[in-house]
Amino acid sequence: MVRLSLAALTIALTSTTAFAQTEISWWHAMDAELGQKLEAIAQGFNESQDEFVVVPTYKGGYAETLTAAIAAFRANEQPAIVQVFEVGTGTMMAAEGAVYPVYQLMTDNDQPWDPSAFLEPVTGYYSDTEGNILSMPFNSSTPIMYYNKDVFEAAGLDPETPPRTWAELEEMSRTIMEAGAAPCGFTTGWVSWVQLENLSAIHDQPYGTLENGFGGLGTEFTFNGEVQTQHWENLKAWADEGLFQYGGPVGGADAPPKFYAGECAMYMNSSASRAGVIANATDFEVGFAPLPYYDDAIAEPKNSIIGGATLWVLNGKDEAVYDGVAQFFTYLSSPEVQAEWHQATGYLPITNAAYELGQEQGYYGENPGSEVAIEQITRGEPSANSKGIRFGNLTQVRTVIDEEFEALLAGNKTAQEALDAAVERGNQILRDFEAANS
């Protein structure tokens, strides 16, 4: 009887504790291995205290998650936290009344908050014009270049010296193909993000007016300038020659297999692709390098810009929930949690302390190339053209850019005509966004 009573008491106490915990709903867009690692972070926080329980829920890809969150907010069924990709930033900022800015959340709940602790190129993307960070940096990445060292060696190239400029990349691609080391020089994921948005930032070229959209509504695209047009002309010429192979629209789903199979010697994509590249490129040694640049357009290339997502806090919850969210964000941004997330995924360490911890642990020395993304995105002082871009409905604009790029490759338009059309169509999307949010 005594044992039964103790057991019953234990269950009762456990139930009472569980009941007393405040639930924090977290909608996210990560499945497979990334989803498992995300859930491990939530579990780690849940086990670190007994007052709150974070409940992560996968809601589909980035676009689906954002759409679901907007619909849920309108039905007053929103989560406390939602993961939103970087191109959704303009949409979230325009959703007045729906968002609880993270800098305000942390202050209201007496949690430590030092904006200077974060990597500047990361927080700059998600800050208002006064420098206040609006959403919690989480999974930030930037594009880099992966290359096949074995192919380089077979072509008589130095496998430790990847191309630094686009002229060198063109020359090396031709050498590789003429040597029969690979049938293709290079491919790329995300034409819009890598070959236009980041190309513009690295060469300090404006992507749009009003500081690339940071200045508010009323902006217009300007990515049809001389540098961008010359680059698209080159991509077309290189595609015709076979030096470049197109990987497809959006993320370029055909690009990774071309690299993994040794078909293309070089491959540009997110730093967060690192784990996938290492797991799939098993027949050759992989090298890592910054994105190339045109040295006749800029002597010292600027920083690249980020991709990935941040965590937005939605209004309409109890104070206890926000207390828990703030404590969770403190846990999430701790050096130990961030360093482990960064090293396991290839996403950037969002804080300087997490980066320094990785250095102390010897991670970068033991994993060659793992520092390339950090060095590239922190290169120099960000300019108005390289701190990022912020436009409403940017996902739709990226679709337009893909369509115009394919028209270029098909020979239906020149580079200038394709980019002019993308700007014109993109500006109409901006006007539609303004009309819906003013």
Side-chain angles (χ1 to χ4, degrees), residues 293-307:
Y293 65 97
Y294 292 97
D295 57 358
D296 57 350
I298 189 167
E300 298 291 337
K302 303 296 290 184
N303 60 285
S304 56
I305 59 177
I306 63 171

Side-chain angles (χ1 to χ4, degrees), residues 93 103 115 127-134 214 387 390:
M93 289 185 65
Y103 77 92
S127 300
D128 63 18
T129 52
E130 284 75 45
N132 298 311
I133 302 174
L134 304 176
F214 279 73
K387 69 178 180 180
R390 183 175 298 161

Side-chain angles (χ1 to χ4, degrees), residues 259-391:
F259 181 67
Y260 300 157
E263 185 177 353
C264 292
M266 292 167 276
Y267 161 55
M268 298 170 209
N269 210 337
S270 168
S271 60
S273 301
R274 177 186 173 87
V277 168
I278 292 174
N280 289 281
T282 55
D283 295 332
F284 57 88
E285 185 178 359
V286 179
F288 308 86
L291 294 178
Y293 65 97
Y294 292 97
D295 57 358
D296 57 350
I298 189 167
E300 298 291 337
K302 303 296 290 184
N303 60 285
S304 56
I305 59 177
I306 63 171
T310 54
L311 305 182
W312 291 79
V313 182
L314 300 182
N315 276 324
K317 299 293 183 181
D318 295 336
E319 290 183 1
V321 171
Y322 294 124
D323 183 16
V325 172
Q327 292 190 39
F328 175 56
F329 281 177
T330 296
Y331 173 85
L332 183 71
S333 58
S334 66
E336 293 77 14
V337 172
Q338 268 305 307
E340 183 175 351
W341 170 252
H342 153 60
Q343 293 171 17
T345 63
Y347 283 113
L348 297 165
I350 61 170
T351 65
N352 296 309
Y355 179 36
E356 291 166 359
L357 179 59
Q359 292 174 315
E360 293 171 5
Q361 294 170 333
Y363 170 75
Y364 302 108
E366 296 170 0
N367 297 274
S370 56
E371 240 175 334
V372 167
I374 304 168
E375 293 171 346
Q376 179 181 260
I377 203 169
T378 58
R379 185 171 54 194
E381 187 71 21
S383 70
N385 296 327
S386 73
K387 69 178 180 180
I389 60 175
R390 183 175 298 161
F391 302 97

Side-chain angles (χ1 to χ4, degrees), residues 11 19 77 82 91 103 122 125 142 146 168 179 193 230 357 382:
I11 292 173
F19 182 78
E77 296 176 350
V82 61
T91 299
Y103 77 92
V122 174
Y125 203 103
T142 198
Y146 304 88
E168 291 176 356
W193 181 46
Q230 182 61 59
L357 179 59

